[in-house]
Amino acid sequence: MLDFVTVLAASEEGGGSFLVKPGIGLMIWTLLAFGATLLVLRKLAFPKISEQLDKRQRAIEESIDTAEETKAEAERILAEYRQRLQEARTQAESIVARATSAAQKQQEDSLQQARVQREEMMEQTRRDIDAETRRAIQEIRSQVADLTVLATEKVTRKTLTPEDQRRLVDEAIGELDFEALAGSDGSRN
Amino acid sequence: MRSLSRKQILLLAAAVWLGGAVLIYAATGSSGKNEEFQPTGEFKLEEWLPLGFNRAVLYLLLAALLTIVTMVYIAKRMADRPNRVQTAVETVFVFMRDQIAGANLDRDMARKWFPFVGALFLFIWFNNMLGYIPLPVNDHEPISIGSLELPSFAIYAATANISIPLALSLMVWITYHIVGIRRQGLGKYFASWVPAGVEGFARGPIFLIEVISHFVRTISLSVRLFANILAGHLLILFMAGGLGVILGVAALGWFTLPAAVLFFLFEVGLVATLQAFIFATLTAIYLGGAVAAEH
């Protein structure tokens, strides 16, 4: 190692001083070479590289913006679809509910209608029965009258004038209570 | 034969290295100290052509050309989808723009002076890196083939010559003073040299100290670059055989060779870039300081 140092020292003594002696010519060459480099780089290289970097930066920013927009759009559409789905579901539910209630109402209506109809039919039947009863009573009366006339004739051997007979019978029958024959219609004594 | 494990490979390499040194020493021995060989001679400049054209000028022009061709070529075929080389250049460009210029200058100054600072970085970097590529430029120890004397391959760096860093430093020095004076006016510029908070009588001596420090900047800026590159080249030279030649022990050349490889990698991988970065960053700092009202 000591040898190494002495060698270095010796080499410095042995004409190494030119290493630290500046030369004007070389300095001018340096400035020329650097000046040319600077000029060319500033004119031809740096602006283009810078432009390209800026362009890419813009492209990246635009892509990010577009991606964000697309994402927002997608989210908006998704929300819309969800809302529509919800609406459709609600609508379907309301339709079902309405249909159910309509069906129920219709059922009730038809039940009511049937009841009314039945009532009417029963009423009609009742009226028919009443009318029939009355007619039957009338018939019986008439029959009884005739029979009575016949019976009286047979008993009395006397013929009354039809008018007298009828009057008499009617009086007799009028005294009879036929209401009982009317059944449920008449009040029973 | 089965493949060797890493440990065995290392052992084998160590054996070849040490055994080689012993064998070479046994074969050649020591021829005594060599007083003739001057390692610094590797850096001596002979004028090859008129106008002071020598090896350093050749290296300067080669580096300038390499800088221009590389950058313009890349710039011309900048693509939206960059390949690896373009990505690397873009990374360097962004580093220069944001870290070297942008971090030390305000926005306007950075935009205006980025080309200058960036060109300095690239120019010095290419000069430094060119210095680690062996080229047939050694006229000091020529190879003789018959009657033909050819320059031997050597590594040489233009930045290992004081004139080149000094010229660049002086250019930077003058530039930042002009920028400062134009921005602030002569009186205000010199007044801005005195740090804020120094009042009254103290302003005189402090100003003198600042003047000295400004002048020292030219020396520190140039010598830092020059000395680092020169030292690196000398170390590689010594370790790659120079020491063996000087001491007349050929075996020593073999023995120190691994160190030469390590120094070479260290210089290429770190020092060349670091020194270019420091030079360009200091330039940006000086420019930024020149336009600041006080520092």
Side-chain angles (χ1 to χ4, degrees), chain A residues 4 7 11 18-20 22-23 26-27 29-30 34 37-38 40-42 45-46 48-49 52-53 55-56, chain B residues 38 40 43-44 51 57 60 64 68 71 75 78-80 86 90 93 115 120 161-164 171 243 246:
Chain A
F4 181 68
V7 164
S11 70
F18 67 87
L19 281 175
V20 290
L26 194 50
M27 287 172 76
W29 276 111
T30 308
F34 175 71
T37 310
L38 173 61
V40 175
L41 290 187
R42 209 178 70 174
F46 288 161
K48 281 217 174 105
I49 298 174
Q52 178 67 32
L53 287 175
K55 205 172 110 193
R56 189 173 310 135
Chain B
Q38 297 292 338
T40 49
F43 300 91
K44 208 161 205 160
L51 291 173
V57 176
L60 268 175
I68 289 169
M71 295 309 287
M78 286 287 282
D80 285 340
Q86 188 185 329
E90 281 177 10
F93 186 88
L120 256 180
N161 186 299
I162 187 66
S163 304
I164 286 145
M171 175 186 71
L243 206 57
I246 290 164

Side-chain angles (χ1 to χ4, degrees), chain A residues 2-65:
Chain A
L2 199 70
D3 279 343
F4 181 68
V5 175
T6 50
V7 164
L8 258 182
S11 70
E12 281 302 318
E13 285 163 18
S17 63
F18 67 87
L19 281 175
V20 290
K21 199 189 280 173
I24 294 294
L26 194 50
M27 287 172 76
I28 292 168
W29 276 111
T30 308
L31 293 179
L32 287 176
F34 175 71
T37 310
L38 173 61
L39 266 177
V40 175
L41 290 187
R42 209 178 70 174
K43 278 263 177 277
L44 296 175
F46 288 161
K48 281 217 174 105
I49 298 174
S50 188
E51 188 187 320
Q52 178 67 32
L53 287 175
D54 288 349
K55 205 172 110 193
R56 189 173 310 135
Q57 174 103 22
R58 274 200 302 279
I60 290 169
E61 276 165 9
E62 270 166 23
S63 312
I64 291 171
D65 287 350

Side-chain angles (χ1 to χ4, degrees), chain A residues 14 20-21 25 32 40 54-55 60 68 71 83-84 90 93 95-97 135 140 143-144 146 149 156 175 181:
Chain A
V20 290
K21 199 189 280 173
L32 287 176
V40 175
D54 288 349
K55 205 172 110 193
I60 290 169
E68 271 170 4
K71 198 180 160 219
Q83 201 194 339
R84 279 209 192 143
T90 315
E93 273 167 10
I95 286 168
V96 168
R135 210 176 53 79
I140 292 167
Q143 293 266 336
V144 167
D146 286 351
V149 169
T156 61
E175 284 165 19
L181 287 170

Side-chain angles (χ1 to χ4, degrees), chain B residues 138-152:
Chain B
N138 191 340
D139 52 3
H140 198 66
E141 307 280 344
I143 305 172
S144 304
I145 300 172
S147 61
L148 212 62
E149 280 207 340
L150 292 174
S152 49

